[in-house]
Amino acid sequence: MAKLFTSEAVTEGHPDKICDQISDAVLDDVLAHDKFGRVACETVCTTGMVFVFGEITTTHYVDVQKIVRDTVTNIGYTRGKYGFDAENLAVLTAIDPQSPDIALGVDDDKHEQGAGDQGMMFGYATDETPEFMPTAYVLAQKLAYRLTEVRKNKTIPYLRPDGKTQVTVEYDDDNKVVRVDTILISSQHNPDVDMDQLAKDLKEEVVLKVIPNKLIDSKTKFLFNPTGRFVIGGPAADSGLTGRKIIVDTYGGSACHGGGAFSGKDPSKVDRSASYMARYIAKNLVASKIAKRLEVELSYAIGLAEPTSIAVNTFNTSKYSEEEIVNIIKKVFPLTPKGIIEHLNLMRPIYKKTSCYGHFGRDDVDFTWEKLDKVTEIEALMR
């Protein structure tokens, strides 16, 4: 029996993504000048206003006003008629130092660096795409990226920054993707655009440039701005908040999520660094053919270095037991916060570009958690 599965993505002009980008831009600014800085930065945006708040401990002066305005300008909100204009925003801040109680477990020189909080983190990989990511997720993110690209390069000059995409794929009984069932794109636009023209342009310049022809058939449904007009968008239409798109950021609903967001958090927060390590583990294990699909769960206690648990789910696609795979993980991968940070080289200003179009499955040299450099070592242990 065929099975349908759907994932969504959003453009960088979506209100929640504006906030993710600002929070990660603040983090990058701190790490560029103080790699030992501690950052837990949140952002809220609404019509005409951005509010940046949280906990930051650093020797560097952070010019939040400039970071906010530069980020909003780069996204494309540069005109008052958008209801959100970089030059005329009210930028409010409420930033305190990190709690000294948290610092006790993270910065104590007498003990190995502990986790900055408790919690569980998940990583996932599947062999169904070259990116080792779910098909629906990969296609939705590529559509969102292309939607921004054609706006910025003026291929479709009447588009505005806000937008969302969604892709439904069909799997056969062997869990193979056989076709795309539905493609949905909602894009903000100028008020004088004809909806038929919008649909034509989005199909020709976005969908057909991204979705492989072999996955589209006569039954594939195309939905473009299904409610009609989408003129008022961005923070003028909907408030935004850091960390409200965690499924868009990770695996599109194909895997579990521990609940902690990534953006605005420095790597001492295992919400971020351990999630990156879990993805690194899962991807290298799947690339080693230990399983066709694999999910890794790591859990931590605040102030303690070693994970409190490691769990594996192979979805019945492996001949190896969970115990065998966990033993391989322990032998091959560093799992303490310090080990993760050093191995993946995370104390760098690389995070703003992670805040849009997904943290995983992207070909970027700075995304060290996407490397497949443990495959040989894993294969040797499997012999």
Side-chain angles (χ1 to χ4, degrees):
M1 180 177 177
K3 180 184 76 171
L4 300 179
F5 189 83
T6 302
S7 292
E8 72 162 345
V10 299
T11 68
E12 60 199 56
H14 185 279
D16 294 331
K17 276 294 148 198
I18 295 171
C19 295
D20 286 343
Q21 289 168 89
I22 291 171
S23 294
D24 272 335
V26 170
L27 170 62
D28 279 356
D29 188 61
V30 171
L31 292 179
H33 298 89
D34 175 14
K35 71 175 185 177
F36 299 109
R38 293 284 181 258
V39 179
C41 178
E42 311 278 351
T43 304
V44 171
C45 67
T46 187
T47 306
M49 190 188 81
V50 170
F51 178 31
V52 181
F53 60 100
E55 298 77 45
I56 299 178
T57 301
T58 180
T59 58
H60 170 61
Y61 168 70
V62 182
D63 190 343
V64 175
Q65 289 268 346
K66 185 176 188 304
I67 291 170
V68 169
R69 298 186 196 282
D70 287 351
T71 301
V72 173
T73 296
N74 290 338
I75 292 169
Y77 286 108
T78 56
R79 304 184 68 183
K81 63 172 66 178
Y82 295 168
F84 196 71
D85 174 13
E87 291 186 3
N88 298 300
L89 289 174
V91 180
L92 310 179
T93 60
I95 296 172
D96 293 312
Q98 176 181 264
S99 165
D101 295 337
I102 296 176
L104 284 174
V106 178
D107 299 329
D108 188 351
D109 292 336
K110 297 178 183 178
H111 306 282
E112 182 173 357
Q113 177 179 334
D117 201 352
Q118 70 177 46
M120 63 281 191
M121 299 82 205
F122 292 88
Y124 177 79
T126 172
D127 67 359
E128 69 182 72
T129 64
E131 296 88 352
F132 292 89
M133 293 289 284
T135 302
Y137 179 84
V138 169
L139 296 179
Q141 290 287 10
K142 287 183 176 181
L143 287 174
Y145 183 84
R146 178 63 181 170
L147 192 58
T148 295
E149 186 177 50
V150 298
R151 170 177 63 87
K152 288 187 169 182
N153 67 19
K154 307 297 185 184
T155 299
I156 308 180
Y158 54 78
L159 297 183
R160 290 181 176 179
D162 197 359
K164 301 178 78 171
T165 65
Q166 188 167 287
V167 176
T168 301
V169 300
E170 181 179 320
Y171 290 84
D172 64 16
D173 292 339
D174 295 322
N175 211 38
K176 300 282 189 183
V177 175
V178 293
R179 58 185 292 274
V180 170
D181 183 79
T182 306
I183 298 166
L184 166 60
I185 298 179
S186 294
S187 180
Q188 187 185 15
H189 56 81
N190 293 349
D192 55 352
V193 174
D194 177 77
M195 290 297 103
D196 289 337
Q197 185 65 46
L198 175 75
K200 179 177 181 294
D201 290 344
L202 291 179
K203 185 173 183 179
E204 291 180 357
E205 297 297 340
V206 179
V207 172
L208 298 183
K209 301 290 186 181
V210 169
I211 308 295
N213 288 333
K214 65 181 180 180
L215 295 180
I216 298 175
D217 60 23
S218 60
K219 295 182 180 179
T220 300
K221 296 179 284 293
F222 301 92
L223 304 174
F224 302 111
N225 285 29
T227 60
R229 282 167 54 93
F230 183 7
V231 174
I232 300 173
D238 186 13
S239 61
L241 176 64
T242 299
R244 205 157 55 182
K245 286 291 178 285
I246 57 176
I247 300 303
V248 168
D249 284 342
T250 52
Y251 305 103
S254 292
C256 294
H257 195 294
F262 303 158
S263 291
K265 296 177 181 177
D266 75 78
S268 74
K269 281 71 172 174
V270 283
D271 276 342
R272 182 166 219 154
S273 54
S275 293
Y276 288 177
M277 175 53 72
R279 161 63 178 174
Y280 178 61
I281 294 169
K283 185 176 181 181
N284 276 270
L285 289 173
V286 171
S288 303
K289 301 190 185 306
I290 276 184
K292 295 179 70 63
R293 293 172 62 203
L294 189 141
E295 181 181 81
V296 178
E297 182 199 38
L298 304 174
S299 70
Y300 291 84
I302 188 169
L304 301 183
E306 295 292 336
T308 55
S309 70
I310 307 168
V312 172
N313 183 359
T314 62
F315 308 94
N316 297 316
T317 65
S318 176
K319 65 181 182 181
Y320 298 91
S321 69
E322 177 179 331
E323 182 180 5
E324 289 174 311
I325 298 172
V326 168
N327 285 335
I328 289 174
I329 291 172
K330 289 178 177 178
K331 290 177 182 177
V332 175
F333 298 94
L335 299 175
T336 65
K338 181 179 179 181
I340 293 170
I341 290 168
E342 290 180 350
H343 187 81
L344 297 180
N345 194 17
L346 297 180
M347 299 302 287
R348 297 174 293 140
I350 60 171
Y351 296 105
K352 185 181 177 185
K353 61 184 173 181
T354 69
S355 61
C356 291
Y357 312 113
H359 291 247
F360 307 125
R362 293 169 58 185
D363 183 16
D364 188 301
V365 66
D366 287 327
F367 288 46
T368 51
W369 49 93
E370 292 297 315
K371 289 183 177 180
L372 291 174
D373 56 356
K374 292 293 185 180
V375 173
T376 301
E377 188 176 352
I378 292 168
E379 289 175 341
L381 292 173
M382 293 163 56
R383 298 190 188 107

